[in-house]
């Protein structure tokens, strides 16, 4: 049986669950780094027992996997690192894990830079972009456009209930992008004033459906109705391999506390409160998926998915 993971893994898992660490790409790199730290701790503990080392890494993988269900970049990160765990001795195993985690994080950073260039090419000098939630992949596109010398402004949706729009607003302000913050329900009114809608993704399904922060699908439908193009910025680590075999993506349901505090709850009394964190935008409402490998119409993303994840969705963390 596996022992409890080392402190860095437990702390990272806790931070992901409480959303101190959040956003699909950030979660993925934190998980990879936690596995590297687990490898160091496990190498000391397992001493010369490779089987104990492997069991300890699988346990860490499970702890990280169980934090949040929707962003596939998390299991994809665990798969990347744990499938590269190899060697006959504990030291070889340790080095393979640390090396794979390093390589993963570097690839993630490079993919985001490359994707930013692709997304930036869709933006023209003087454009205004509407954002939803906080996506580092989406921000990379705007920042690359600014680096290209384009002047871009932004209309930023606050994104209830957790207001990740505030993080987006701060980062855009720091990048020198003029920001107008609006409440979510004002989005359709402001669509007439923007040239693009730009969002990120937690997962992309084989049919091109985009799973992202709750409210994305309504925004996409409104954007289509107003004739505003909408794109998703998503590195290929967001492609969900299990959807190739018909599985659906689990939508995280979060605590009602995020929607009504205890005081409001007491006043309102016995009513149902639901708090889904994500929704699915059907491919027909999305104009383009921008990845580090170029931009794709959502309907053709399945080809890329087969190429990159065709071997299926192994679970190297399973007992
Ligand atoms: C974050 C969210 C982001 C995607 C993409 O949701 O929906 O749009 O994760 O982010 P939460 P990135 O705040 O609930 O984690 O481009 O940084 O991977």
């Amino acid at each position: 049986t596996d022992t409890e993971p080392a402190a860095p893994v437990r702390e990272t898992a806790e931070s992901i669950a409480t959303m101190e660490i959040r956003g699909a790409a950030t979660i993925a790199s934190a998980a990879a780094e936690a596995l590297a730290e687990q490898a160091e701790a496990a190498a000391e503990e397992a001493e010369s027992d490779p089987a104990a080392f492997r069991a300890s890494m699988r346990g860490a993988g499970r702890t990280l996997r169980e934090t949040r269900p929707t962003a596939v970049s998390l299991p994809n990160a665990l798969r990347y690192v744990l499938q590269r765990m190899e060697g006959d001795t504990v030291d070889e195993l340790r080095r393979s894990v640390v090396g794979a985690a390093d390589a993963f994080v570097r690839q993630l950073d490079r993919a985001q830079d490359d994707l930013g260039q692709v997304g930036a090419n869709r933006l023209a000098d003087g454009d205004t972009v509407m954002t939803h939630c906080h996506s580092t992949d989406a921000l990379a596109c705007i920042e690359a456009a600014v680096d290209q010398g384009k002047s871009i402004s932004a209309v930023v949706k606050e994104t209830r209930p957790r207001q990740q729009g505030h993080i987006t607003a701060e980062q855009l302000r720091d990048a020198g992008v003029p920001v107008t913050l609006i409440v979510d329900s004002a989005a359709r009114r402001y669509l007439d004033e923007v040239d693009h809608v730009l969002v990120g993704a937690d997962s992309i399904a084989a049919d091109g459906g985009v799973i992202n922060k709750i409210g994305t699908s309504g925004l996409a439908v409104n954007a289509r109705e107003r004739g505003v193009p909408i794109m998703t910025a998503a590195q290929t680590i967001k492609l969900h391999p299990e959807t190739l075999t018909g599985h659906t993506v689990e939508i995280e349901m979060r605590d009602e506390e995020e929607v009504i505090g205890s005081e409001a709850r007491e006043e309102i009394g016995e009513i149902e409160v639901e708090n889904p964190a994500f929704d699915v935008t059907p491919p027909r409402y999305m104009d383009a998926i921008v990845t580090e490998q170029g931009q794709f119409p959502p309907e053709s993303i399945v080809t890329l998915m087969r190429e990159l994840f065709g071997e299926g969705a192994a679970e190297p963390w399973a007992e």
Side-chain angles (χ1 to χ4, degrees):
T1 59
D2 302 343
T3 49
E4 199 181 45
V9 165
R10 282 184 277 124
E11 280 157 23
T12 300
E14 175 72 12
S15 302
I16 294 172
T18 58
M19 291 178 63
E20 207 176 301
I21 295 174
R22 47 146 297 283
T26 310
I27 289 171
S29 65
E33 278 162 7
L35 286 181
E37 292 179 288
Q38 176 72 21
E40 301 292 1
E44 274 182 33
E45 207 145 285
E47 285 173 6
S48 58
D49 183 354
F53 180 94
R54 286 177 181 274
S56 152
M57 291 309 304
R58 285 198 301 272
R62 285 196 297 280
T63 298
L64 291 163
R65 178 66 195 104
E66 281 154 17
T67 51
R68 294 185 75 188
T70 304
V72 75
S73 50
L74 171 58
N76 282 347
L78 302 176
R79 260 190 284 274
Y80 182 99
V81 175
L82 294 179
Q83 284 177 340
R84 284 166 180 76
M85 173 164 73
E86 58 178 17
D88 298 326
T89 66
V90 166
D91 195 52
E92 282 168 8
L93 289 166
R94 178 189 63 81
R95 272 186 283 134
S96 69
V97 170
V98 172
D102 263 14
F104 178 81
V105 172
R106 267 185 282 116
Q107 268 184 42
L108 204 76
D109 290 345
R110 196 176 329 125
Q112 194 164 77
D113 289 347
D114 292 350
L115 157 164
Q117 295 301 325
V118 179
N121 291 338
R122 289 180 59 91
L123 306 178
D125 190 25
D127 275 355
T128 301
V129 178
M130 183 181 285
T131 64
H132 183 57
C133 199
H134 168 257
S135 154
T136 56
D137 281 352
L139 282 175
C141 300
I142 300 180
E143 284 164 3
V146 170
D147 285 346
Q148 289 175 354
K150 293 170 183 165
S151 120
I152 306 287
S153 34
V155 174
V156 172
K157 294 179 74 226
E158 65 175 350
T159 317
R160 280 275 293 156
R162 293 187 67 113
Q163 303 187 319
Q164 292 94 328
H166 291 189
I167 309 171
T168 301
E170 261 176 59
Q171 288 190 2
L172 287 174
R173 182 208 59 203
D174 288 350
V177 172
V179 167
T180 305
L181 183 71
I182 60 168
V183 297
D184 295 304
S185 33
R188 184 163 176 274
R189 177 190 165 109
Y190 282 86
L191 276 170
D192 287 337
E193 295 173 24
V194 309
D195 305 287
H196 295 270
V197 174
L198 171 58
V199 296
D202 287 82
S203 283
I204 298 197
D207 68 351
V210 170
I211 294 87
N212 190 48
K213 180 54 56 192
I214 190 82
T216 302
S217 66
L219 177 61
V221 171
N222 281 334
R224 176 57 49 84
E225 188 259 343
R226 296 275 96 175
V228 181
I230 171 164
M231 62 165 145
T232 296
Q235 343 185 0
T236 54
I237 198 74
K238 316 283 179 66
L239 301 181
H240 200 301
E242 287 175 66
T243 60
L244 280 170
T245 49
H247 291 275
T248 52
V249 178
E250 182 181 343
I251 301 293
E252 178 183 12
M253 301 297 288
R254 293 195 63 87
D255 204 284
E256 69 162 51
E257 266 287 310
E258 295 183 341
V259 180
I260 54 169
S262 47
E263 227 172 87
R265 174 42 121 180
E266 227 158 81
E267 252 165 58
I268 299 172
E270 284 302 304
I271 54 148
E272 216 38 67
V273 177
E274 290 201 353
N275 184 19
F278 302 99
D279 65 20
V280 186
T281 301
R284 66 182 176 280
Y285 293 113
M286 190 58 66
D287 290 285
I289 297 176
V290 168
T291 79
E292 74 276 18
Q293 308 224 13
Q295 64 168 343
F296 295 81
E299 291 80 4
S300 77
I301 205 78
V302 64
T303 312
L304 184 63
M305 197 180 282
R306 282 220 180 84
E307 205 177 287
L308 297 174
F309 294 98
E311 330 80 75
E315 298 195 343
W317 51 83
E319 261 172 301

